[in-house]
Each structure stands twice: as structure tokens, then as C-alpha cells.
């Protein structure tokens, strides 16, 4: 209650400031769009984007071959695509597409970008696309060959940015020389998006990224002469920026602020599409980073934790009902959603304590929860509610908030016991989600921090990449049964996505990315002109 009282006092002060300053904006302020975002742009290269903030920033500067409309894919740089076997694909590049320096976007640029993306993701220990050969065909067409069929390739390509190829890309069947790519990593690249990075201004703060329009924009061009992404991980700071008129948009409104924001004149709340799930994940390595036995490597400890959870209470206490309890990764309408899966589970603290005693922890257990400060996982009130549930079965949970970059380093070293992880189902597919949180390709990454690997599961995931959609429900049930038995992670809740903004704006997102410079326009503009 003390924490809520502090937040209440903080908001009341902000409301008082608003009453004194008003919501009037100067003409110069109206010429820009300032978005207070919840994440830090961590990647210094578009092909190493991992966080929501990374994709928000780079999606202003670069285009992808396709973009998403819900869980469907629609044209962007590619105006059409085709395949007969899901292993060989062809993409037709829009001849109108131009980079920021007015060069046309060519198959060579696409091939270089896809090759470069694969080189850099492999460098990070991942294999997302499985490209084996790329070639440029007559008439602006790109042909791709994969190592195995992958029917959701267009959805995956909605996350791969296309950049202008340098003069010397090197040679290779995949369109570039890996050594050349690695040598040029981090250098400035040219995109075809509606914005480009502004020259670093003396007045720009370290936590701000400033964008200006591209003079040679070819499609869905900039509605704003200046876009500022202002990183403020603390929701109270984002609210302060909004209330004082320093920001036009506040991303990731937390439920406790809703009553106050709804009373502010000139403010609007908009719910945007989301595919995100909050997960509880475990370090399954037998030894902790310090060499001591790792308690959560014991399945009985993980089962006890699962038995102590009440997801409805987590949602109500942690997010005041502004989320959905999750017993599976997929949501209704997504591929692989199991409609007959139980939607509730009554906690069983007695059985949970018995399992802990059987595992040798009858006198209690101390665990640490890693709380990465990202837009999905930074849920301190959910963590507090979780700690209360585990306290009832003899587990003391110490909550440790850490910056996103530190959490990635700790995962790589295995230096954690339990942590919150977030997942966005980009393709709207449960099996794609399982590949991210439990598949070999993402092992020991921030998506699959547990170190979990199961050969049978990997085989099911491999089958799903090229399977007929009619077989996906069976594959999903088999994969779900494996993960239910092994418990490398536990879905907690499906996140709802709410932003607050001044009433003079129209937000028209069709995708779950938050490129606010693309999806925001003055309210009088036609909202059907989406990104």
C-alpha cells in the first residue's frame, strides 16, 4: 500500500503541474512528435535488433520486404511473393522504392541485407532463416532458397530491415562475404524508410533519438518534420513528460495511472494491437554461476512454483485487471491456440510444500527473480504479487531489477535463477513461439534463457516450419505436452498495450511495432492511411 500511496502522491503533483501549465503547446513544439518510450535502444546495428525499442527506432529508418496487418503479411518493399514448396521463394521488388539518397532499391540490396542479417544472427548464436542461396532475377525479382521448407518465411522477413548495399559486399552464394560484413558492423547504413537519423544535436539528451524526414521518401512519407524517441523506463517519468507537455505520447501506461489520465483534459487513451506474453523462466543448469547446486534445476521445485500460482490474482493485483491470464503462449485467433486447454488452475499450496520437502527444501528456499527493465518484463507489481504467492509455500523471492543489457549478459553467463521473460508472437503461431522460448536455435538467449533443449521438441518444431496448416494443431499439442512435463517456462499473462497521448493525434497501428512516426498523424488526417 505504501508503494501505491507514493505513486498516487506523485501523480497528484503532476496533475497540479498540469493545471498550472495547461496543455497549450507552442508552435515549435507542434512541429514535432515526441514519444516517451519505455525501452532503451540497445542495438547499434539494425540487424542485431532484439528489443521493442530497437525495432521502434530502426523501423522509422528502414523498410522490410513485407509488413504485418494483424497476423497477415502485406506488401512493403516487395509488392508480391510466391512459393510452390515453401523452400524456394520469389519476391518482386516494387520499382518505385527509393533509399534516402535517391538510389532505387534493387535485388542486390535485398540479397546483401538478408545475407548480412543471417551472418550477424549466426554471430549471436541464432539461425532464423536458413538461407542457402540468393539470386537476383530479371525484372527486379529476388529468389531465395532455404535449407528446409519454412511456410512462415514472409512473417519472419517482416523483422529483417533492408539497407543499401555498399560497393564492396564480397562474394558468396548467400550474397555477401561474412568477413566483410563483420568488419563493417556498426557503420552507418542507408535505409528507405520515411525518416533518417538527425545529426547529433548539442541539445539532444543521451536518452533521446532524433529523426528527421527522408528527402526521397517513396511511400507513406513522414507526417512530422521531427520525431523524438525519449527513453524513460520508469512509467512515472513517462507520465511526467506527457503531463508537462514535453511528450505527445506515453507508451505502456500502467493501470494505476489510468484513473488520473482519464481525467486530464486534452488526453486520449488508445489500445494498440499486441502479441506479447509475460513468462516466468528458469535457469535449468545443474550449477549456479557460483558453482552451488541450482534449486530450480529440480523439476519438483518448478512444479511447486507452478502449483502456487494464481494467474487471475497476478493480473488483478499486478496490473489491476489490465491483462489476460495465460495458460498457453497463443491467444484466441492465433495458429495453434488450444481452445480446450483449461483456462484456470486452483493453487495447491499443500502439494507445493510437499514437493519442496521431497526436493530437500522443506525448511524453505531463497530464490532471486531477475526483472529486466524492458517494456514486457518490467512488471514490479506482478513480481511483488508472485513473491507473496511463493512466500506461502516457503520460498523467499528477492526481486532484482536490472537493465536489459545486464540481463542479457547474466543470461549468457547463467547468472540467474528465475526471471521474467517476454515474447511477441510475430507470426501469430504457437509453434513459432515455442521455437523462440524453448528451441535449440534460441538456447541461452534472452528469449530462451533456461538453457533448455529437447530433441523431440526440436523435431516437432522443425516439422512445423514446413507442415501443412492442418497438421499444426496436432504438432502444437505434442509440443505443449513436452513443455508441460519439463516446465522450462510458465506463461503468466497476455499483455494489453495501452498508450496515452494528446487528443490532437490519431494512432492507426495495424502491427505490433511502435514506430510512432509512422503510425501517428494529426487527428484530422485520414486514419486509413496506415503504415
Amino acid at each position: 500500500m505504501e508503494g501505491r500511496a507514493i505513486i498516487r502522491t506523485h501523480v497528484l503533483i503532476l496533475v497540479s503541474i498540469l493545471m498550472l501549465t495547461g496543455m497549450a503547446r507552442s508552435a515549435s513544439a507542434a512541429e514535432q512528435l515526441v514519444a516517451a518510450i519505455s525501452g532503451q535502444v540497445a542495438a547499434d546495428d539494425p540487424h542485431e535488433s532484439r528489443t521493442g525499442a530497437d525495432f521502434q527506432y530502426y523501423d522509422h529508418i528502414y523498410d522490410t520486404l513485407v509488413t504485418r496487418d494483424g497476423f497477415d503479411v502485406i506488401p512493403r518493399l516487395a509488392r508480391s511473393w510466391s512459393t510452390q514448396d515453401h523452400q524456394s521463394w520469389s519476391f518482386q521488388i516494387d520499382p518505385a522504392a527509393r533509399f534516402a539518397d535517391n538510389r532505387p532499391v534493387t535485388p542486390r540490396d535485398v540479397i546483401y541485407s538478408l545475407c548480412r542479417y543471417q551472418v550477424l544472427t549466426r554471430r549471436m548464436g541464432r539461425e532464423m532463416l536458413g538461407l542457402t542461396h540468393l539470386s537476383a532475377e530479371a525484372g527486379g525479382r529476388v529468389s531465395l532458397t532455404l535449407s528446409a521448407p519454412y511456410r512462415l518465411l514472409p512473417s519472419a522477413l517482416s523483422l529483417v530491415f533492408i539497407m543499401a548495399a555498399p560497393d564492396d559486399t564480397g562474394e558468396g552464394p548467400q550474397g555477401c562475404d561474412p568477413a566483410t560484413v563483420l568488419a563493417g558492423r556498426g557503420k552507418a547504413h542507408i535505409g528507405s524508410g520515411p525518416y533518417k537519423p538527425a545529426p547529433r544535436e548539442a541539445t539532444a539528451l543521451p536518452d533521446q533519438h532524433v529523426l528527421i524526414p527522408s528527402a526521397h521518401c517513396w511511400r507513406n512519407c513522414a507526417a512530422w518534420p521531427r520525431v523524438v524517441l525519449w527513453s524513460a523506463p520508469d512509467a512515472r517519468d513517462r507520465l511526467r513528460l506527457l503531463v508537462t507537455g514535453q511528450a505527445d505520447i506515453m507508451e505502456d501506461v500502467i493501470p494505476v495511472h489510468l484513473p488520473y489520465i482519464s481525467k486530464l483534459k486534452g488526453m486520449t487513451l488508445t489500445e494498440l494491437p499486441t502479441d506479447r506474453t509475460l513468462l516466468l523462466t528458469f535457469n535449468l543448469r545443474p550449477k549456479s554461476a557460483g558453482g552451488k547446486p541450482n534449486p530450480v534445476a529440480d523439476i519438483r521445485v518448478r512444479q511447486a512454483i507452478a502449483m502456487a500460482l494464481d494467474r487471475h490474482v497476478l493480473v488483478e493485483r499486478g496490473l489491476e485487471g489490465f491483462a489476460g491470464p495465460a495458460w498457453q503462449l497463443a491467444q484466441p485467433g492465433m495458429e495453434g491456440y488450444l481452445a480446450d486447454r483449461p483456462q484456470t488452475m486452483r493453487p495447491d499450496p499443500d502439494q507445493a510444500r510437499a514437493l519442496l520437502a521431497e526436493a530437500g527444501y522443506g525448511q524453505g528456499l531463497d530464490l532471486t527473480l531477475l526483472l529486466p527493465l524492458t517494456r514486457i518484463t518490467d512488471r514490479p507489481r506482478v513480481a511483488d504479487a508472485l513473491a507473496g504467492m511463493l512466500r506461502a509455500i516457503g520460498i523467499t523471492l528477492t526481486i532484482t531489477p536490472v537493465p536489459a543489457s545486464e540481463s542479457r549478459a547474466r543470461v549468457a553467463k547463467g547468472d540467474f535463477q528465475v526471471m521474467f521473460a517476454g515474447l511477441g508472437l510475430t507470426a501469430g503461431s504457437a509453434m513459432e513461439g515455442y521455437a523462440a522460448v524453448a528451441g535449440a536455435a534460441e538456447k541461452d538467449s534472452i528469449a530462451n534463457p533456461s538453457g533448455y533443449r529437447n530433441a523431440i521438441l526440436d523435431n516437432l518444431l522443425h516439422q512445423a516450419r514446413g507442415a501443412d496448416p492442418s497438421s499444426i494443431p496436432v504438432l502444437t499439442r505434442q509440443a505443449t505436452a513436452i513443455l508441460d512435463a519439463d516446465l522450462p517456462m510458465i506463461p503468466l499473462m497476455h499483455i494489453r498495450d495501452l498508450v496515452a497521448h494528446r487528443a490532437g493525434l490519431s494512432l492507426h497501428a495495424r502491427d505490433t511495432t511502435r514506430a510512432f512516426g509512422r503510425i501517428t498523424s494529426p487527428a484530422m488526417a485520414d486514419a486509413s492511411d496506415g503504415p
Side-chain angles (χ1 to χ4, degrees):
M1 293 301 294
E2 180 182 353
R4 183 175 296 187
I6 292 172
I7 293 175
R8 185 183 300 272
T9 302
H10 188 91
V11 175
L12 288 174
I13 292 172
L14 293 178
V15 173
S16 299
I17 293 173
L18 177 61
M19 294 175 64
L20 292 173
T21 62
M23 285 302 297
R25 298 171 57 84
S26 66
S28 60
E31 294 173 357
Q32 68 176 358
L33 179 75
V34 180
I37 65 174
S38 57
Q40 295 277 0
V41 179
D44 59 2
D45 191 292
H47 288 154
E48 293 181 322
S49 297
R50 295 301 298 269
T51 69
D54 294 340
F55 283 103
Q56 280 176 287
Y57 174 63
Y58 288 118
D59 197 44
H60 288 89
I61 303 168
Y62 301 92
D63 283 318
T64 49
L65 284 174
V66 301
T67 188
R68 294 185 301 167
D69 185 357
F71 297 116
D72 295 325
V73 289
I74 57 176
R76 193 177 255 184
L77 284 174
R79 63 181 184 181
S80 64
W81 51 93
S82 60
T83 183
Q84 293 184 340
D85 58 3
H86 298 129
Q87 188 165 1
S88 296
W89 291 79
S90 179
F91 291 81
Q92 178 66 51
I93 308 304
D94 193 324
R98 290 289 185 277
F99 286 113
D101 61 359
N102 205 28
R103 279 186 288 170
V105 178
T106 69
R108 176 176 176 268
D109 300 305
V110 174
I111 289 172
Y112 169 75
S113 299
L114 295 179
C115 177
R116 187 178 187 277
Y117 172 82
Q118 183 154 279
V119 168
L120 293 180
T121 52
R122 283 176 174 170
R123 174 180 175 269
M124 295 187 288
R126 302 159 59 209
E127 177 60 79
M128 297 299 294
L129 301 179
L131 296 169
T132 59
H133 187 79
L134 299 92
S135 62
E137 310 295 341
R141 189 170 290 274
V142 176
S143 293
L144 313 178
T145 303
L146 310 179
S147 58
Y150 186 21
R151 61 188 177 82
L152 297 178
L153 176 68
S155 292
L157 292 179
S158 70
L159 298 176
V160 182
F161 297 114
I162 304 302
M163 58 179 58
D167 293 336
D168 180 16
T169 62
E171 299 295 332
Q174 296 172 23
C176 65
D177 173 55
T180 303
V181 167
L182 293 175
R185 180 193 164 278
K187 293 182 179 179
H189 298 279
I190 299 173
S192 59
Y195 295 92
K196 62 182 182 179
R200 193 64 188 175
E201 304 172 36
T203 56
L205 301 176
D207 51 2
Q208 291 183 348
H209 284 79
V210 181
L211 300 155
I212 57 176
S214 167
H216 300 289
C217 176
W218 67 285
R219 183 183 180 192
N220 300 125
C221 296
W224 307 98
R226 192 170 185 264
V227 173
V228 180
L229 302 181
W230 194 332
S231 179
D234 191 315
R236 293 169 297 181
D237 291 333
R238 296 196 299 279
L239 180 61
R240 173 181 55 79
L241 293 173
L242 180 70
V243 167
T244 58
Q246 297 178 79
D248 304 288
I249 297 173
M250 171 191 175
E251 180 185 58
D252 290 338
V253 175
I254 62 175
V256 73
H257 289 163
L258 288 175
Y260 305 99
I261 293 175
S262 62
K263 296 176 182 178
L264 298 178
K265 292 183 179 180
M267 290 292 180
T268 298
L269 290 163
T270 298
E271 187 168 348
L272 299 178
T274 176
D275 55 15
R276 296 176 291 156
T277 301
L278 180 67
L279 311 168
L280 185 66
T281 58
F282 303 97
N283 182 352
L284 303 187
R285 298 163 183 82
K287 300 286 186 181
S288 66
K292 296 181 179 179
N294 177 18
V296 295
D298 192 317
I299 183 61
R300 294 168 294 187
V301 174
R302 303 197 299 278
Q303 289 171 337
I305 291 173
M307 288 180 177
L309 295 181
D310 188 326
R311 291 169 175 82
H312 291 286
V313 172
L314 286 177
V315 167
E316 290 300 325
R317 292 183 182 174
L319 294 178
E320 298 190 7
F322 203 78
W327 285 269
Q328 56 184 309
L329 292 186
Q331 303 178 42
M334 292 183 175
E335 180 184 85
Y337 175 73
L338 303 177
D340 58 349
R341 186 169 174 81
Q343 298 300 302
T344 189
M345 183 184 75
R346 185 172 181 176
D348 191 342
D350 292 336
Q351 180 61 24
R353 283 189 289 268
L355 282 169
L356 288 177
E358 184 181 322
Y361 302 104
Q363 301 304 312
L365 175 61
D366 294 333
L367 294 177
T368 298
L369 173 70
L370 208 61
L371 192 69
L373 300 179
T374 74
R375 61 191 299 242
I376 306 182
T377 55
D378 185 13
R379 308 286 170 175
R381 293 180 63 202
V382 176
D384 288 339
L386 174 66
M389 295 174 187
L390 298 188
R391 193 158 47 244
I393 64 170
I395 295 178
T396 300
L397 193 66
T398 300
I399 302 167
T400 306
V402 295
S405 57
E406 181 180 335
S407 67
R408 288 192 289 272
R410 291 182 64 161
V411 165
K413 294 188 296 184
D415 184 18
F416 75 100
Q417 292 177 309
V418 188
M419 71 178 288
F420 277 175
L423 176 70
L425 290 184
T426 303
S429 166
M431 291 299 278
E432 289 285 287
Y434 285 158
V437 301
E442 293 283 356
K443 182 175 175 289
D444 299 329
S445 74
I446 200 69
N448 176 12
S450 65
Y452 176 77
R453 180 157 187 186
N454 182 296
I456 299 176
L457 176 67
D458 286 339
N459 182 54
L460 295 173
L461 297 173
H462 179 75
Q463 291 181 54
R465 286 174 67 93
D468 186 273
S470 63
S471 65
I472 293 299
V474 172
L475 294 173
T476 303
R477 288 185 186 280
Q478 293 173 340
T480 302
I482 291 172
L483 294 173
D484 282 346
D486 292 347
L487 280 181
M489 56 83 191
I490 301 174
L492 295 180
M493 58 184 66
H494 298 303
I495 301 298
R496 295 173 64 187
D497 205 350
L498 193 68
V499 298
H501 56 90
R502 59 183 176 89
L505 300 177
S506 176
L507 273 62
H508 39 88
R510 298 188 297 194
D511 192 2
T512 59
T513 59
R514 296 292 168 261
F516 287 112
R518 284 186 184 261
I519 70 171
T520 307
S521 63
M524 67 286 297
D526 183 0
S528 66
D529 295 334

